[in-house]
Amino acid sequence: VAHKDPKVVVVENVKGLVHHDGGRSLRFLLGTLRAAGYRVTWQVLDATRFGGAQVRQRLFVVASRGRKFDFNGLVSKPP
């Protein structure tokens, strides 16, 4: 990310990262992106909310040079 300097970065990982090492791993990731000049939002999303056939919860972090990403704007559909 530091070498390419993209306008938007999307990080996807297991939901367990939220609580890993007492939350320090996620705080480190968010802090690193913020220190690089990004506005950062994150949320755990379930694949069934977006048409997936199985419950699969994943952490999504969206970092942007512009305005913060709004997860509420995502369109849901039935599994």
Side-chain angles (χ1 to χ4, degrees):
V1 171
H3 294 289
K4 297 290 185 180
D5 194 33
K7 291 182 182 180
V8 176
V9 176
V10 178
V11 177
E12 178 262 344
N13 209 308
V14 297
K15 75 173 187 171
L17 186 66
V18 173
H19 302 290
H20 181 262
D21 196 20
R24 285 185 285 276
S25 298
L26 180 59
R27 283 194 303 273
F28 175 79
L29 172 62
L30 301 177
T32 300
L33 290 167
R34 287 181 181 127
Y38 290 95
R39 298 183 72 177
V40 182
T41 55
W42 65 274
Q43 189 167 344
V44 174
L45 300 174
D46 191 322
T48 58
R49 182 176 159 199
F50 305 99
Q54 62 179 328
V55 174
R56 183 171 174 87
Q57 295 182 326
R58 303 294 287 179
L59 167 68
F60 287 88
V61 177
V62 180
S64 173
R65 294 277 184 208
R67 61 184 167 90
K68 278 188 167 185
F69 181 77
D70 183 6
F71 283 95
N72 293 323
L74 295 175
V75 177
S76 298
K77 65 184 208 178

